[in-house]
Amino acid sequence: MSGKTIAGEKVRILISACLTGEKVRYDGSDVEVDQALLEKISDQSVMIPCCPEMAGGLPVPRSPAEIRTDGEETGGKAVLAGIARVKTAQDVDVTEEFSKGAELALQVCQENGVQVAILTERSPSCGVTMIYDGTFSGAKISGVGVTTALLKENGVQVFSQNQLEDVLKHLTEL
């Protein structure tokens, strides 16, 4: 079904700007995705690109950052609870920027009636099922980024770029 609507309007989807080809990642790159699937989703929705890290005030390029905690609680939920911090490889605390970016992404969702987001896996902002472990060793752990945690807490259904088929299925169920 093309042009899937809710109450006569196309579904609005927040999408990580790096997934749309914008060069906004920490290293000035974007993320490759299955363009055919993304186009199918785009045909059925209005995509709203957002980079929470840039929205929070971080530049491109920027130092890579990971979520660090001393406790058992990890990931974006721990950052929102104040028990974990987002730090760069040089130990600069960028938690405030990541939190502000998450809040601004939520604001975009609320102002635009967004119920679905497609965010970038492994990112400390946008990780959906997996993030880096905070050691800058390349090790990954199960967890969510700061923006994903906040969006989920507020009822937004969040998918990663690896779940585009699931997004299409979800759109047909709306």
Side-chain angles (χ1 to χ4, degrees):
M1 168 186 283
S2 115
K4 180 73 178 167
T5 64
I6 293 178
E9 291 190 27
K10 283 190 173 187
V11 174
R12 296 173 190 274
I13 297 177
L14 185 79
I15 185 167
S16 291
C18 62
L19 299 177
T20 67
E22 292 186 41
K23 310 259 188 240
V24 295
R25 292 187 71 226
Y26 74 94
D27 60 0
S29 68
D30 61 358
V31 175
E32 288 190 32
V33 296
D34 185 322
Q35 287 300 312
L37 282 175
L38 202 57
E39 283 182 33
K40 285 181 184 180
I41 294 167
S42 181
D43 288 345
Q44 298 182 36
S45 65
V46 174
M47 300 258 207
I48 303 170
C50 175
C51 174
E53 294 172 26
M54 287 191 63
L58 295 172
V60 174
R62 57 188 169 272
S63 293
E66 295 185 10
I67 298 171
R68 294 190 189 169
T69 184
D70 293 329
E72 290 183 24
E73 193 72 29
T74 60
K77 289 181 184 179
V79 173
L80 295 176
I83 56 177
R85 308 297 293 170
V86 185
K87 293 190 174 186
T88 68
Q90 296 78 28
D91 205 37
V92 175
D93 191 321
V94 289
T95 305
E96 183 177 321
E97 290 87 344
F98 275 73
S99 297
K100 179 180 177 186
E103 290 169 13
L104 291 170
L106 176 61
Q107 182 178 342
V108 168
C109 289
Q110 292 171 334
E111 290 174 353
N112 290 282
V114 170
Q115 299 174 342
V116 176
I118 304 170
L119 302 180
T120 307
E121 197 65 272
R122 298 181 307 276
S123 160
S125 286
C126 300
V128 177
T129 63
M130 184 182 308
I131 57 174
Y132 289 100
D133 72 352
T135 65
F136 295 92
S137 65
K140 299 172 212 57
I141 59 172
S142 179
V144 300
V146 179
T147 298
T148 297
L150 187 61
L151 295 183
K152 283 184 167 188
E153 280 183 9
N154 286 275
V156 176
Q157 179 74 38
V158 184
F159 298 90
S160 79
Q161 78 272 23
N162 303 322
Q163 299 170 314
L164 296 181
E165 291 279 0
D166 295 334
V167 175
L168 281 171
K169 182 179 178 197
H170 183 73
L171 289 176
T172 62
E173 296 168 353
L174 291 177

